[in-house]
Amino acid sequence: MDFNFSDEQQQFRDSLMRYLREAYDFDARCAIVRTESGWSRAVWQQLAELGALGIALPDAYDGFGGDAFDTLLVMEAFGHALVVEPYLATVVLGAGVIADAGSDAQRAQVLPAVARGERLLALAYGEPAARYAPNHVSTTAKKQGDGWVLDGHKAVVWHGDAADQLIVSARTAGAVADAHGISLFLVDARAPGVVRHGYPTQDGLRAAEITLSGVRVDAEALIGVQDEGLAPLEKAIDRGIAAVCAEAVGAMQAAIEQTTAYLKTRKQFGVPIGSFQVLQHRAVDMYVHAEQARSMAYLAAAKLDAPRNERRRVLSAAKVLVGQAARYVGQQAVQLHGGIGVTNELAISHYFKRLTMLALAFGDVDHHLGRFGEYLEA
Amino acid sequence: MDLNFTPEEQSFRAEVRAFIDAHLPADLRAKVLEGRRMTKEDYLRWHRILYRQGWVAPHWPKAFGGAGWNAVQQHIFHEECADAGAPALMPFGLVMVGPVIMAFGTPAQQAYFLPRILSGEHWWCQGYSEPGSGSDLASLKTRAERRGDVYIVNGQKTWTTLAQYADWMFCLVRTDPQARKQEGISFLLIDMKSPGISVRPIIMLDGEHEVNEVFFDNVEVPVANRIGEENKGWTYAKFLLAHERTGIAEVGRSKRWLKRLKAIAARERACGGGRLIDDPRFRDRIAQVEIELMALEVTTLRVIAAEMEKKAPGPEASLLKIRGSEIQQTLSELLMLALGPYAAPYQPAALDAGYDGPIVGPEYGVAHTGLYFNMRKTTIYGGSNEIQRNIIAKMMLGF
Ligand SMILES: Cc1cc2nc3c(=O)[nH]c(=O)nc-3n(C[C@H](O)[C@H](O)[C@H](O)COP(=O)(O)OP(=O)(O)OC[C@H]3O[C@@H](n4cnc5c(N)ncnc54)[C@H](O)[C@@H]3O)c2cc1C
């Protein structure tokens, strides 16, 4: 057993955190959110140069061959700094699917470009009536000649408006909620028939509704095995869960640091409010939640390559616990700040909002309690 | 013991309901029910309708132009208004400063201000909190120095709700910096158009302009606009806080939100198919908050009954504040959770009633996540829930 990060990993984390401290403070972040695109290409290029984009991609495709714990380090740092750039969408979800299930040609075409910061991806799997179920796919892909024609509506696609390429789940056989008959396609985001309506999300990130109307792709666009796309999709979602758990851990840590600092400086009744024991205990509960969440984020990263049932069970457990922790820490961070906590002027409400959205990402607490329950006797 | 309303109370309810049905404009009602952005004029329209009916101040005595209703009637009235989706009546004039002016104001102050509160001509705001004085309100520093028949006011208030609309502010100022902190405070009525006042918006976490900072730079306030005696302001402020108790639990509005939550959960689809309201986990969450609300309603009625027997207002109000705010927060959270992934889009433009652009996700959901964020305020303002617990610990449990 070893809970230490390697020297290399620590150096990497330090350089990333230093960069974010210097170039990505709260004011810089707010300025980025206010821009037209809502994220910064300059920051993205810096992240590429720091190696953050390629850290967990295979060596063979210009990555550094890192593992889930390298992704965890990146996401935790991003959570701490409230980074809005499309890392989860492009690297964790998008490049993850291609590295995992793509052909050699697809990997060669996509991964080095991602590592260099020249390609953005989005995973378009949600649908308006699907809620959190990835098997609910009514978007269709029909065979036409050598290729396929895609039709459907993909919902709340994170960073879908910025993406160069989309990974789209579509039904190639079976009924709307069947596990079998789902296929994944690599689609040019600017192809004729793709219409993207981008919008900001509640936490200052971006998402898009994407409609596909008679979108033609060739045979090489199919990712992995026809009709068997659910397995790599579920795996991608579990990688996403591990990543957002790590991000939430970073955001919780920052929220706790800022809240305890505030409790020590804010005075009422002639004393720092942190001298009131009820507030100390509240801060302690935040800390306990965050430590438990950190443990589950580690476990989640460790189990990403476990057999399917074990993987799903642990990833759901992590999402439940981290979701509950994110809720508590976010709410109390605001509460302990008093009035200034409910304004947009201080970073703390932005942590609360991000933590709220992370708790919903890939399924809320109820959803994952249910999913965990399916493996109760496993 | 009888937990039923009397026949007279029931027919009173029917009368109130019939009036609201006939007079609440449909567009206003729709805005409130859907949680869309309210303008100053929206609030005032409903205010004026009630004013013409003589109902705008249910708790004011008839002598001052109120409806003169007892506590049960007031409760029924507020419950019916909330259920129907009537805009809230702004409390600052009607509930807060009005009763203070009635109890402690001069005849001239009463004659000038009370009719204008009733008619809606004056919009009031509450100038209590300061950057350094929130929970510890009595430490406030905004200074008022007497020069002949005016005070010169310098300092800053903050969190002033809807000060951007206000014509007048009731304001706590320090008139004797030497005295013990509760004893050097005076209660002034300040014309917001006075030279030297500036109002800076504070944007809330939901992106909306609800509160403000108000700065005073050598603002002249006539001594005639002081309530009661100099340096006795804290007494009047405490009197006011005791009057804030009516409706503090927001039971009526929470019942309306619960109805909405059920309706939406019946339309939303659960993950495995079927309706969200039939999903056992979500159903239990709704059940849990409904049970809490049921208990709070009866607790509220117990407090009202005690009020009818003229028992002095006590710390029960703190209990109503604690549970009422927590229930509002839970309901808004469930309204957000019900939307699933469509809780994420931020669509501030869609909150305007006239908006006819594209909407992402179900139209009924556009306000929910912002509402959840916004409701965090309810455990902070009006005396934070920690402060309310301190009050109960001291007053009820004898610690
Ligand atoms: C949306 C909104 C609208 C408002 N509108 C108005 C208005 O119109 N007019 C007006 O005058 N004010 C208004 N307020 C101000 C409100 O009354 C204050 O925010 C409130 O009194 C808390 O003060 P504070 O924000 O300075 O927090 P602080 O007093 O600094 O409190 C910070 C934290 O410390 C806790 N704390 C403080 N003292 C103790 C203690 N002794 N024991 C345990 N815990 C403690 C608090 O509960 C809180 O969690 C509004 C506030 C909000 C959020």
Side-chain angles (χ1 to χ4, degrees), chain A residues 129 131-132 136 155 200-202 209 266 268-269 282 327 331 335 339-340 342-345 353 360 366-367 370, chain B residues 131-132 134-136 159 200 203 205 269 271 281 285 333 337-338 340-342 344-346 372 376 379 386:
Chain A
R131 206 171 178 82
Y132 298 117
H136 182 106
T201 55
Q202 293 281 350
E209 299 301 290
R266 169 71 172 171
Q268 289 288 277
F269 307 99
R282 206 77 62 77
R327 172 179 183 270
Q331 290 182 349
Q335 180 68 23
I340 193 77
V342 289
T343 72
N344 255 350
E345 300 189 352
K353 290 190 269 188
L360 303 187
D366 282 358
H367 177 75
Chain B
S135 297
D136 182 16
W159 313 127
R200 187 189 78 88
I203 302 304
L205 79 175
R269 197 185 153 283
C271 269
R281 273 172 297 274
R285 286 181 187 270
E333 186 173 10
L337 291 175
Y342 279 126
Y346 176 56
Y372 168 64
R376 303 317 302 172
T379 46
E386 287 77 19

Side-chain angles (χ1 to χ4, degrees), chain A residues 335, chain B residues 248-249 296 315-328 377-386 388:
Chain A
Q335 180 68 23
Chain B
I248 200 164
L296 185 67
E316 303 89 345
S318 297
L319 190 164
L320 301 183
K321 161 76 191 341
I322 291 171
R323 262 297 176 270
S325 55
E326 289 171 351
I327 287 171
Q328 290 167 65
K377 72 186 178 190
T378 64
T379 46
I380 294 168
Y381 66 16
S384 75
N385 282 24
E386 287 77 19
Q388 304 295 346

Side-chain angles (χ1 to χ4, degrees), chain A residues 54 56-66 104 107-109 111-112 115-116:
Chain A
L57 296 179
D59 305 307
Y61 300 99
D62 298 353
F64 297 95
D104 287 343
R107 289 179 185 161
Q109 194 246 52
L111 301 182
R116 285 195 304 269

Side-chain angles (χ1 to χ4, degrees), chain A residues 266 276 335-336 339, chain B residues 126 128-129 134-135 159 161 384 386 390:
Chain A
R266 169 71 172 171
F276 301 127
Q335 180 68 23
L336 297 191
Chain B
Q126 178 183 27
Y128 276 24
S129 305
S135 297
W159 313 127
T161 299
S384 75
E386 287 77 19
N390 289 348

Side-chain angles (χ1 to χ4, degrees), chain B residues 28 72-73 105 117 153 188 263 273 333 338 351 365 369 387:
Chain B
L28 275 187
V72 174
Q73 289 172 310
I117 292 174
V153 178
L188 298 184
E333 186 173 10
L351 293 178
T369 304
I387 295 298

